[in-house]
Amino acid sequence: MSEPIPLARPEIGAREEELALEVLRSGRLSLGPMGERFERAFAQWLGVEDAVAVSSGTTGLHLGVRALGWGPGDEVLTSPFSFVASANCLLYEGARPVFCDVDPQTLDLDPSAAEAALGERSAGILPVHIFGFPAAMPELEAIAARHGLGLLEDACEALGAVDSEGRRVGARGNLATFAFYANKQMTTGEGGMVVPSGPEVAARMRAERNQGRAADMGWLDHGGLGFNYRLADVAAALGVAQVEKLDQLLARRAAVADLYAQGLAELDGVATPLAGRGAERRSWFVYPVRLAAGIDRDAVIARLAERQIASKAYLPCIHLFPHLRELGWREGQFPVAEAAAAHSLALPFFPAMSESQVARVCDALAESLR
Ligand SMILES: Cc1ncc(COP(=O)(O)O)c(C=O)c1O
């Protein structure tokens, strides 16, 4: 029996163990110095003034929505081809996600579709850098500026991507959120980071993640509504270690993507992720191939599983989940996103994947199509 190949696997080594142990031995398991150390290391790596650590990408997005003041009566233009949290964070505050179709090549929010969906209640744009491909920020920022809209970037899948103007995703001065679940470019187990749009927003987020306590308040003092969205210090320790090796982690992911591109180049019926049009600036989060129409994706997944290879239909469109259908969204509204959702397949993808593992996946995929 061959070794199973998982969909994702984090790179946890001696440095993560050392720093996690440092926290455990310090007794400062929450609100200790490791949290601030992680925020500083992350901000420095990204090239931004400040960063606010939170308990997940979802909680970071929620704080972003609150900082922009989006609420009941507000509509926010966003992508239906995303992970559900990018729409749920709007629902938490009573704002309405208004989905717009995606670009067929980048699979990111199509600026012309966003412009066409503008209405009287439009309050903002929430672009998602899906699969690590940088969204068309200059175009979206121009729309936002023309119509006085707020911007919140969901960069949860895009740490390390560089946009068309050579700037790192998340470093354009907009509010942006990253996520550190175990399949992400770097992980803290669970965790997230928000890049605030300025010092006031940062202070507000630090208070809101900590039950509404401002920096100068005591434990039982609360200056307003807050949440427990703090990141545990053991998780922050993993984050510090992961930032230290982030460049290598990203380079390994890109190398594995290259191996896949070579291994699948001749395979009929399987399109590899976009090359050109800025693809070299993407950060590799997953390796999603697109199966030709007519190929039974579930059968392919089952045949790969027989060979101990994990794969996943990736991603379902979020406007078709029950709680968004209740708001009136239906099949057929976003043909580009729905076609991508119907035919995409994520293959195993992680930094330590060997050449022979990639070859095994490519061979198994070819056999699964016969
Ligand atoms: C696009 C996108 N948005 C938001 C999230 C939410 O992040 P988390 O799982 O850390 O809450 C994720 C992560 O899965 C994501 O991929």
Side-chain angles (χ1 to χ4, degrees), residues 56-58 61 82-83 85 128 154 156-157 179 184 191:
S56 71
T58 305
L61 286 169
S82 175
F83 181 69
V128 183
D154 181 338
C156 288
E157 301 190 356
K184 295 292 193 293

Side-chain angles (χ1 to χ4, degrees), residues 55-61 82-86 128-131 154-157 177-181 183-184 189-192 285 314-315:
S55 54
S56 71
T58 305
T59 57
L61 286 169
S82 175
F83 181 69
V84 69
S86 59
V128 183
H129 304 275
I130 202 70
F131 299 157
D154 181 338
C156 288
E157 301 190 356
T177 296
F178 293 91
F180 308 131
Y181 184 66
N183 64 347
K184 295 292 193 293
E190 298 286 356
F285 164 51
Y314 213 88
L315 286 156

